[in-house]
């Protein structure tokens, strides 16, 4: 699904008389990198995946504990939180372990909160019961889009981890995926940025959306210059198309049995 990584040079080419953008890895502006999700990548977690978006690779594992934070005790309502880490060797230049520094960076804390907020938006915490889901996201290779890959991979790991009897409400209410978009250094809106594209982008944005087409989170920044409303609209359109493709792939990966349980009520198949 898509092409692998970023290694060539970008440029504009004439096809049938029309000028089109070809990016440094040969992709079109609206094309995702190659996406691959390997289920049950680890032996011990209740649910786990290895998600690959081009050269970015993230292990996402979901563990379930029969306890909740203090603020949820006795409520009958569950909780979900996420942890995120970047392996030292995941980047071109070694990144020091945060444990060795004795504290997490602001970036790490921000990404953990993003993953947790995103997954809670499609999780019925009451149907989950007084249990906690912990999502561990470990980046083993980084080439841009690690946080969006972590959100998408964590969703699949979460669904795999939940063992709910057929006569009970499945606590996952909708599908979820995240993708990056940006305005390239040449002013073109592009989808799913690799590191080189991201580092040169005029503007970049991370978008989290549901299978129903609703937005959960939009994080956008004008890096080289402020971006215009028409550019914002173009970026959101690209993100919607990319998110739809990722969610379609999630459905293929999870299979019909789990697909039909997501959004169902009291164990009944949801209406399509």
């Amino acid at each position: 699904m898509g092409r692998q990584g970023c290694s060539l040079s970008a440029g504009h080419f004439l096809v049938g008389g029309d000028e089109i953008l070809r990016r440094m890895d040969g992709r079109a502006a609206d094309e995702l990198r190659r996406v691959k999700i390997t289920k049950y990548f680890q032996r011990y977690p209740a649910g786990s995946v290895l998600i690959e978006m081009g050269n970015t690779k993230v292990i996402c594992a979901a563990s379930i504990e029969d306890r909740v934070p203090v603020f949820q005790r006795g409520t009958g309502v569950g909780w979900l939180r996420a942890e995120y880490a970047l392996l030292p060797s995941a980047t071109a230049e070694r990144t020091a372990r945060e444990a060795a520094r004795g504290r997490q960076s602001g970036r790490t804390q921000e990404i953990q909160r993003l993953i947790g907020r995103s997954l809670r938006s499609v999780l019925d915490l009451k149907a989950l019961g007084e249990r906690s889901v912990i999502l561990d996201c470990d980046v083993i290779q980084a080439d841009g889009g690690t946080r969006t890959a972590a959100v998408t991979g964590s969703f699949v790991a979460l669904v795999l981890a939940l063992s709910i009897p057929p006569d009970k409400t499945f606590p996952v209410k909708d599908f979820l995926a995240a993708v990056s978009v940006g305005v390239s250094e040449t002013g073109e809106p592009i989808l799913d940025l690799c590191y080189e594209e991201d580092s040169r982008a005029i503007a970049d944005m991370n978008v989290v959306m549901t299978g129903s087409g609703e937005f959960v989170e939009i994080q956008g920044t004008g890096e080289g210059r402020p971006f215009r409303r028409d550019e914002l609209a173009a970026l959101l359109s690209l993100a919607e198309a990319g998110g739809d493709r990722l969610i379609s792939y999630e459905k293929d990966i999870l299979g019909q049995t789990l697909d039909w349980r997501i959004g169902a009520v009291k164990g009944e198949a949801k209406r399509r």
Side-chain angles (χ1 to χ4, degrees):
M1 185 178 178
R3 292 180 174 83
Q4 178 65 30
C6 291
S7 59
L8 306 175
S9 58
H12 289 78
F13 301 87
L14 286 175
V15 176
D18 295 323
E19 188 178 37
I20 62 169
L21 172 70
R22 282 294 173 188
R23 295 153 71 179
M24 57 183 61
D25 56 1
R27 286 184 290 150
D30 61 351
E31 190 175 349
L32 290 169
R33 290 176 287 179
R34 181 181 65 84
V35 184
K36 182 182 179 182
I37 296 176
T38 304
K39 295 188 295 184
Y40 299 112
F41 186 73
Q42 291 180 290
R43 178 176 182 177
Y44 299 111
S48 66
V49 303
L50 170 66
I51 180 168
E52 302 173 62
M53 298 281 295
N55 289 322
T56 289
K57 301 180 181 183
V58 187
I59 298 172
C60 303
S63 302
I64 299 177
E65 296 181 348
D66 290 322
R67 57 182 178 178
V68 291
V70 174
F71 62 86
Q72 295 286 62
R73 287 179 190 167
T75 64
V77 175
W79 190 244
L80 178 147
R81 64 181 177 85
E83 295 185 10
Y84 170 96
L86 188 74
L87 265 61
S89 57
T91 49
E93 293 185 10
R94 185 182 186 276
T95 304
R97 292 184 190 274
E98 293 186 338
R101 295 201 299 260
R103 62 182 179 83
Q104 289 182 318
S105 68
R107 175 182 181 274
T108 295
Q109 294 179 53
E110 174 201 349
I111 293 173
Q112 290 180 166
R113 293 182 185 123
L114 168 68
I115 299 167
R117 283 195 305 268
S118 299
L119 272 292
R120 287 194 297 270
S121 74
V122 294
L123 184 63
D124 184 338
L125 296 175
K126 187 173 182 180
L128 178 65
E130 211 161 306
R131 300 185 295 169
S132 291
V133 179
I134 300 94
L135 290 159
D136 292 297
C137 304
D138 291 284
V139 181
I140 62 174
Q141 189 165 283
D143 185 29
T146 62
R147 73 185 68 193
T148 52
V151 169
T152 302
S154 290
F155 173 79
V156 178
L158 169 65
V159 175
L160 294 174
L162 293 171
S163 178
I164 307 295
D167 61 333
K168 302 293 184 182
T169 297
F170 196 69
V172 180
K173 300 180 290 184
D174 201 350
F175 281 83
L176 184 83
V179 72
S180 64
V181 288
V183 179
S184 73
E185 60 182 333
T186 59
E188 303 272 1
I190 54 176
L191 173 68
D192 189 20
L193 284 66
C194 68
Y195 175 77
E196 284 297 325
E197 291 174 323
D198 183 70
S199 65
R200 301 175 187 178
I202 293 171
D204 64 85
M205 185 179 297
N206 299 304
V207 180
V208 186
M209 59 180 293
T210 69
S212 303
E214 297 174 314
F215 294 106
V216 176
E217 187 136 356
I218 300 171
Q219 298 179 335
T221 305
E223 300 281 0
R225 61 162 170 78
F227 53 91
R228 304 185 304 272
R229 181 183 288 270
D230 64 302
E231 291 174 321
L232 173 61
L235 292 178
L236 289 178
S237 293
L238 277 178
E240 286 181 298
D244 285 345
R245 280 177 240 154
L246 288 171
I247 288 170
S248 178
Y249 182 53
E250 289 174 349
K251 292 178 179 181
D252 290 340
I253 288 294
L254 290 169
Q256 190 177 53
T257 301
L258 286 172
D259 176 10
W260 277 84
R261 293 209 69 189
I262 294 171
V265 178
K266 295 292 184 184
E268 298 177 1
K270 61 187 176 185
R271 294 180 179 176
R272 291 299 178 108

